[in-house]
Amino acid sequence: MLDLFDRLIAAKIPFKENLSGKELSAYRGGGAVKIVAYPESVSALKALTALATEFGVPYMPFGLGSNLLISDNGYDGIFISSIGFRNLSVRGNRLVLGSGVSLKRAMECAAENDVSGLEELSGIPASIGGMAKANAGSFGKEMADIISEVTVFDCQTGNVSVIKRRDIDYGYRTSGDTFRGKIILEAVIDGEHSDKVRKVSEHFLNERRKTQPSFPSLGSVFKRTNLGVGMGYYIDKAGLKGTRVGGAEISEKHAGFIVNRGGGTAADYIKLKRLAHDVVYRKFGISAEDEIEIIGKYD
């Protein structure tokens, strides 16, 4: 790995070694990632992915870690941070947002320029790239409703291209395989003119605060069930609110969340997730798919 470190330094690609899940994941727990790299240009991305391929090291794009659980055993690869891609501009009622722009910053820009469209998503602690890939949503609004195009870097060819909304395989909390093998660089949001963006955004932000826990979490653990009902409803009905494993807890405020009450490990989270799923399945015959992303190996 020392040779790879030397090559990254020679390529002038900023990186850090062995950052833990406490620093990287919104859950504030989990193991260490071998390398977190911070490319700031397409040429740096080309050099980084070429080096990773040459050394046989796995890699993946990384935003703010808002729905990412890292195994306590860590990840022996490279996280490619989007923080270097934070370009932000306004073209009429369109927002052009780099993948590393946080939703909070995007909302500030939208309010300053009276561009409506993102308000229902206010408070999601994520970056634009991650939201575009996961089709993040809230209060009936999804990224698929407002994205017009996404610019991507193809990790295999090194080419940059634009994918129009009609060609993105969006579904509930998914973009299918559209971005497989690609890194999102930028997304364009189609909005509308409104002088009430800040007021409406604050309304949805306050609604979120009323219902969602303040302890570190990864947001909703599971996707909605096939019946269109959130798994939190069934977890609550099963009497699991407040159940703890180690430092992890099924939130007493919203049963669809697993929170870190202090010292929670990734293993604690996984045990609670499995417990919730299994109990709900036994009691109600309901099964659901994970909404979080799990990285690394688990015992």
Side-chain angles (χ1 to χ4, degrees), residues 55-82:
F55 282 85
V57 177
Y59 59 87
M60 59 175 286
F62 173 74
L64 294 179
S66 59
N67 72 337
L68 182 67
L69 186 68
I70 305 166
S71 164
D72 296 318
N73 296 317
Y75 177 71
D76 194 23
I78 303 173
F79 274 9
I80 301 178
S81 173
S82 63

Side-chain angles (χ1 to χ4, degrees), residues 27 215 239-252 257-264 267-269 271-273 275:
Y27 173 65
F215 291 103
L240 294 175
K241 262 188 177 180
T243 301
R244 289 195 189 188
V245 172
E249 176 190 86
I250 294 176
S251 172
E252 294 181 334
F257 288 63
I258 291 176
V259 299
N260 191 338
R261 293 297 299 262
D268 294 340
Y269 189 108
K271 288 174 184 176
L272 264 185
K273 181 179 78 72
L275 173 68

Side-chain angles (χ1 to χ4, degrees), residues 107-276:
M107 285 303 313
E108 290 171 355
C109 178
E112 290 166 1
N113 292 277
D114 294 333
V115 178
S116 175
L118 288 166
E119 293 90 324
E120 290 90 339
L121 309 182
S122 297
I124 296 177
S127 61
I128 294 301
M131 294 180 69
K133 181 179 179 181
N135 192 20
S138 183
F139 296 107
K141 174 69 72 68
E142 296 178 326
M143 291 294 282
D145 299 326
I146 51 178
I147 278 182
S148 63
E149 63 184 46
V150 176
T151 302
V152 299
F153 169 82
D154 189 306
C155 298
Q156 189 168 34
T157 66
N159 295 330
V160 173
S161 61
V162 174
I163 304 177
K164 298 293 186 181
R165 166 63 185 90
R166 62 178 176 271
D167 297 319
I168 302 175
D169 188 20
Y170 275 134
Y172 174 62
R173 301 296 179 269
T174 183
S175 54
D177 289 331
T178 304
F179 301 116
R180 184 181 297 276
K182 299 177 177 63
I183 295 175
I184 294 175
L185 302 177
E186 180 180 277
V188 178
I189 303 297
D190 267 342
E192 298 178 355
H193 177 78
S194 172
D195 59 2
K196 298 180 180 179
V197 173
R198 197 176 303 278
K199 181 178 180 180
V200 176
S201 175
E202 288 176 354
H203 165 74
F204 285 111
L205 184 58
N206 288 332
E207 289 300 305
R208 180 181 297 276
R209 287 170 176 161
K210 288 178 187 177
T211 59
Q212 296 187 4
S214 57
F215 291 103
S217 80
L218 300 178
S220 297
V221 180
F222 302 103
K223 296 180 181 181
R224 286 197 308 258
T225 67
N226 292 334
L227 300 176
V229 180
M231 272 287 279
Y233 169 82
Y234 295 103
I235 295 170
D236 187 2
K237 294 288 284 184
L240 294 175
K241 262 188 177 180
T243 301
R244 289 195 189 188
V245 172
E249 176 190 86
I250 294 176
S251 172
E252 294 181 334
K253 191 170 186 178
H254 190 312
F257 288 63
I258 291 176
V259 299
N260 191 338
R261 293 297 299 262
T265 65
D268 294 340
Y269 189 108
I270 291 293
K271 288 174 184 176
L272 264 185
K273 181 179 78 72
R274 289 172 177 165
L275 173 68

